[in-house]
Amino acid sequence: MKTTRNTAAKTAVLEIFGKSKTALSHTEIQKQIGDLCDRVTIYRILDRLVNDDIVHKIVNLDGTVKYAKCHHHAQRVHIHNHAHFSCENCLEITCLENVKPSYILPHNYKVNDINFTLSGLCPNCLNSNN
Amino acid sequence: MKTTRNTAAKTAVLEIFGKSKTALSHTEIQKQIGDLCDRVTIYRILDRLVNDDIVHKIVNLDGTVKYAKCHHHAQRVHIHNHAHFSCENCLEITCLENVKPSYILPHNYKVNDINFTLSGLCPNCLNSNN
DNA sequence: ATTTTAAAAGCAACTATGTTGCATTAAAAT
DNA sequence: ATTTTAATGCAACATAGTTGCTTTTAAAAT
C-alpha cells in the first residue's frame, strides 16, 4: 500500500488551508506559496489531499475550481453533501457545513456524489450594500 | 435595444439541441456542426442563448461545462433550480426537471442562483450492470 | 428593390488551467 | 548509512475559453 510523505510543499499548502476561512483555488495557493515549489507540484499535492479526504474539491457555477479543508470526522462513507456558497461580489466560496439539501429522486438512479452550490451575496457583502 | 438575429449557425445549434435528450458541451456541438462555422462562433452563440434564457449552462462536478435547452415557460424570475444528473459511466448529463432541492439557509445570505448536481449511475447504466 | 446599420462571423493570437513524461531529489523505512 | 520509491522540477503539451479587429450578412429603413 502506498504511503504518503510529509514534504515541505505539502506542509506549506496545509498551513495555507489552515489559515483560510474560505475555499482556495490553485492560483490563490500558488500566490501564497511563491516559489517554494513548482505549480505542477501544487496540482499534485491537491490531488493527493483530495484522494486522502483531507480537502475536498468544489466546482463553482462559473466553472472555477476551489479546494477546502474537510471538517467531517472519520465517516465511513464520505460524501461531501453539504452546500457551498459562492458570493457574486467578493467571489469567496464558503462551506455551509450544516446546510444539507433534501430531495426526491426518480427511480433507478444511483447517487454517489452531490454538488449543491448556491450563489448570491454573502452576509458581508449584503451588509455593505453595494 | 439589442435585437438578436437568426443566423445559419444559430439555427444549426438550436436544431442540435432539439435533437438531443442530454446536455451538450461546446466540443460536442462543434463535432456536429463540422465546418459550418468557427468554434469561436459557437462560443458566442451559446453565450447569446444563455443570455436569452433559451439554454442554460451546467457545470459538472468534474468541471466540464454543458448546455441544455430550457423547458420552463416564461417565468418572470428565472432560476434554474432543478437538478442535473451526471452519469459516471456514460458521462451524459440529463436535467431532472422535477427534482427540486429543499434546504434551510443561515440568515443574511441572498441566493440568486442554484446549482444542484447529482452524480452516479443513470438508469441505463445501472441496468446494464457494468 | 436598394441602401443602411449594427449584429454576427471569421481568423489569428492570446490566456488560463490542467496534464504528462522523464530525470532528479529526498522522506522514511531498513 | 543504504535503499526504496514517493515527490519534485522542468519542459512540453492539451484543452477550454477570450479578445481584437476586419469582413460579412440579417433585417430594418428607405
Side-chain angles (χ1 to χ4, degrees):
Chain A
M1 119 189 150
K2 273 207 208 180
T3 55
T4 199
R5 292 179 185 176
N6 288 318
T7 62
K10 186 183 163 189
T11 307
V13 169
L14 282 175
E15 216 163 284
I16 288 166
F17 274 121
K19 276 187 282 186
S20 175
K21 276 181 217 159
T22 57
L24 299 168
S25 67
H26 171 273
T27 312
E28 287 164 337
I29 293 166
Q30 202 191 338
K31 270 179 200 153
Q32 290 196 48
I33 284 272
D35 53 358
L36 193 137
C37 72
D38 195 74
R39 60 184 208 94
V40 178
T41 301
I42 299 172
Y43 278 117
R44 296 201 260 229
I45 288 170
L46 289 170
D47 281 352
R48 257 181 289 149
L49 293 177
V50 167
N51 236 285
D52 296 349
D53 268 346
I54 294 166
V55 306
H56 60 280
K57 190 177 174 176
I58 306 157
V59 178
N60 197 18
L61 277 179
D62 62 7
T64 53
V65 173
K66 301 218 175 187
Y67 300 85
K69 244 189 178 167
C70 294
H71 289 293
H72 56 84
H73 304 290
Q75 293 169 354
R76 204 156 314 184
V77 179
H78 182 204
I79 294 186
H80 290 290
N81 64 339
H82 63 266
H84 295 119
F85 193 89
S86 159
C87 181
E88 290 164 358
N89 186 246
C90 66
L91 302 180
E92 282 189 351
I93 294 180
T94 35
C95 295
L96 303 172
E97 298 278 350
N98 297 315
V99 178
K100 290 185 176 116
S102 64
Y103 56 93
I104 297 159
L105 209 64
H107 294 302
N108 297 322
Y109 282 93
K110 183 172 179 293
V111 175
N112 290 333
D113 207 349
I114 291 173
N115 183 19
F116 186 48
T117 308
L118 303 165
S119 84
L121 292 173
C122 74
N124 256 347
C125 294
L126 200 61
N127 286 337
S128 53
N129 54 303
N130 43 5
Chain B
M1 117 189 153
K2 274 208 205 174
T3 55
T4 201
R5 290 181 185 174
N6 290 317
T7 63
K10 185 182 162 188
T11 307
V13 169
L14 282 175
E15 215 163 285
I16 289 166
F17 274 119
K19 275 186 282 186
S20 176
K21 275 180 219 160
T22 58
L24 299 168
S25 66
H26 171 272
T27 313
E28 287 164 338
I29 293 167
Q30 202 191 337
K31 269 179 201 151
Q32 291 197 48
I33 284 273
D35 53 358
L36 193 137
C37 71
D38 195 74
R39 60 184 209 92
V40 178
T41 301
I42 299 172
Y43 278 116
R44 296 201 260 229
I45 288 170
L46 289 172
D47 282 352
R48 257 180 289 150
L49 292 178
V50 168
N51 235 284
D52 295 350
D53 268 346
I54 294 165
V55 306
H56 60 281
K57 189 176 175 177
I58 306 158
V59 178
N60 198 19
L61 277 180
D62 62 6
T64 52
V65 173
K66 301 218 175 186
Y67 300 85
K69 245 190 178 165
C70 294
H71 289 293
H72 55 83
H73 303 291
Q75 293 168 352
R76 204 155 313 181
V77 179
H78 182 206
I79 294 186
H80 290 290
N81 64 339
H82 63 265
H84 296 118
F85 193 88
S86 159
C87 182
E88 289 163 359
N89 187 247
C90 65
L91 302 180
E92 283 189 350
I93 294 181
T94 34
C95 294
L96 303 172
E97 299 277 351
N98 297 316
V99 178
K100 287 180 179 125
S102 63
Y103 56 93
I104 298 159
L105 210 61
H107 295 302
N108 297 319
Y109 282 92
K110 184 174 180 291
V111 174
N112 291 332
D113 207 349
I114 291 174
N115 183 18
F116 187 47
T117 308
L118 303 165
S119 84
L121 291 173
C122 73
N124 257 347
C125 293
L126 200 61
N127 286 338
S128 53
N129 54 303
N130 44 5

